[in-house]
Amino acid sequence: MASTTPIDTPPAPPAPPAGRSSSSTGRAGDKIFAGLSSGSGILLLVIMASIAGFLTYRAANAISQDHGNFLTTFDWNPSGNPPVFGIAVLLFGTVVSSIIAMVIAVPIAVGIALFISHYAPRRLAAPLAYVVDLLAAVPSIIYGIWGALVLVPYLGGLNIWLDQYFSWTYIFDQTQPGVARNMLTVGILLAIMILPIVTSVSREVFLQVPRMNEEAALALGATRWEVIRLSVLPFGRSGVISASMLGLGRALGETMAVATVLSPNYLISLHLLDPGGGTFAQNIAAKFDEANPLGRDALIASGLVLFILTLLVNSAARLIIARRKEYSGANA
């Protein structure tokens, strides 16, 4: 008869004392803090729902009186007879300028963050980090004034150079020569604005890399770049994505800087060097004061589209981060 060996089972964790939750010590301070935290979260959801409800109500009122297609119409004339307005140009300009800003800013920001956290000597890294944090706090109107007075005149030469050597790409074909108040200029200005934010957050993430991982790679003979590529960047990938989404959120909703630099019109052009274009925030800032009641509802409707676009971008970022964490946990 085969003998059986009893299987050792780990002891069960001790039960929490009677009348107490396993996640709380039962002290009054803990209960107050838990209540305040829960209340803050609920309040945030209520505020977001209130904003969405207000925007939806006013947008529905405007769209019901629109004699065009709100999603595909190029014109913006809510005071006309009949009123016609649409977001096609504004959606195109917002997305294109934000993409240009992200393509320029994110690689440079990651490089600066790596330099501050892993390459620069401490005497240089500390003041450089301070300057980056200071730039992140500069108001957007300051960037806008600087862009209008400095960036726009200097980018005129860049536009001529791009048109001369890269017009074959179509997007750098300048069909309407003039002042450099175009989507490329807006994208460059937005890139400069979001660069400190992405750099600051990425730097803090890179500084959190476990020191033992880097020392183990160095002990195995890895170079400085191999340590960064194999240890630092994989650890900080989720943080860099989060930092990029913060920068993208600012680029999508930027108002004054874009309004100061851009010469708005309601034409969609894939030629980034041609003057004109428009974004949601810039159009709202430019048209709100002079708009009639229907015009204001139309602007609020465009704000609802920007609100939804921002939510979709942030939700996509959260989904990417969650999947990367699950992938990392599965391979651990």
Side-chain angles (χ1 to χ4, degrees):
M1 183 176 179
S3 60
T4 58
T5 302
I7 301 176
D8 295 334
T9 58
R20 291 188 179 182
S21 172
S22 59
S23 60
S24 174
T25 62
R27 297 177 181 177
D30 293 334
K31 293 181 178 179
I32 293 174
F33 180 77
L36 291 175
S37 301
S38 302
S40 300
I42 295 173
L43 178 62
L44 178 61
L45 294 177
V46 171
I47 293 174
M48 293 290 293
S50 301
I51 294 174
F54 168 77
L55 294 176
T56 302
Y57 173 75
R58 298 290 294 269
N61 179 53
I63 295 174
S64 64
Q65 303 181 54
D66 182 17
H67 286 251
N69 190 319
F70 182 68
L71 297 178
T72 59
T73 300
F74 286 14
D75 297 330
W76 189 272
N77 188 20
S79 60
N81 188 17
V84 177
F85 50 89
I87 62 165
V89 176
L90 306 178
L91 179 62
F92 176 81
T94 301
V95 172
V96 168
S97 61
S98 299
I99 290 176
I100 295 173
M102 295 296 291
V103 169
I104 297 174
V106 172
I108 298 176
V110 172
I112 296 174
L114 288 173
F115 175 76
I116 295 175
S117 61
H118 287 80
Y119 283 96
R122 183 172 301 179
R123 292 182 179 180
L124 177 61
L128 187 57
Y130 175 77
V131 171
V132 170
D133 294 338
L134 185 63
L135 289 174
V138 174
S140 59
I141 187 62
I142 304 300
Y143 283 106
I145 295 174
W146 174 82
L149 297 179
V150 178
L151 191 62
V152 170
Y154 279 96
L155 286 183
L158 176 63
N159 287 356
I160 296 174
W161 184 82
L162 289 173
D163 177 61
Q164 182 177 358
Y165 293 100
F166 295 95
S167 58
W168 55 270
T169 62
Y170 185 80
I171 60 175
F172 294 130
D173 182 15
Q174 191 174 23
T175 62
Q176 304 176 32
V179 181
R181 295 182 178 272
N182 48 42
M183 297 309 300
L184 179 63
T185 302
V186 173
I188 293 174
L189 180 60
L190 291 177
I192 295 172
M193 292 182 62
I194 69 176
L195 183 64
I197 299 175
V198 181
T199 301
S200 181
V201 177
S202 300
R203 182 193 74 236
E204 294 300 325
V205 172
F206 294 151
L207 289 175
Q208 301 302 318
V209 177
R211 187 64 182 173
M212 294 181 60
N213 292 2
E214 299 183 32
E215 292 177 350
L218 290 173
L220 292 173
T223 63
R224 181 74 63 87
W225 164 242
E226 289 173 337
V227 171
I228 291 174
R229 183 170 59 88
L230 299 176
S231 299
V232 178
L233 291 179
F235 179 87
R237 186 178 291 116
S238 298
V240 172
I241 294 175
S242 300
S244 302
M245 292 305 105
L246 286 175
L248 179 59
R250 181 171 186 181
L252 288 172
E254 183 50 48
T255 305
M256 297 310 300
V258 178
T260 306
V261 170
L262 188 63
S263 298
N265 61 33
Y266 297 98
L267 297 174
I268 290 180
S269 175
L270 295 179
H271 302 289
L272 299 182
L273 303 183
D274 286 345
T279 65
F280 286 116
Q282 170 266 331
N283 187 63
I284 293 172
K287 300 292 186 181
F288 197 84
D289 284 341
E290 62 187 29
N292 58 19
L294 177 59
R296 294 189 178 185
D297 287 346
L299 293 173
I300 291 174
S302 67
L304 175 62
V305 178
L306 179 59
F307 181 79
I308 295 173
L309 179 63
T310 305
L311 287 180
L312 291 177
V313 168
N314 285 296
S315 299
R318 299 283 297 182
L319 181 62
I320 293 173
I321 293 173
R323 287 187 175 181
R324 287 192 176 277
K325 288 183 178 179
E326 291 178 0
Y327 178 79
S328 300
N331 292 339

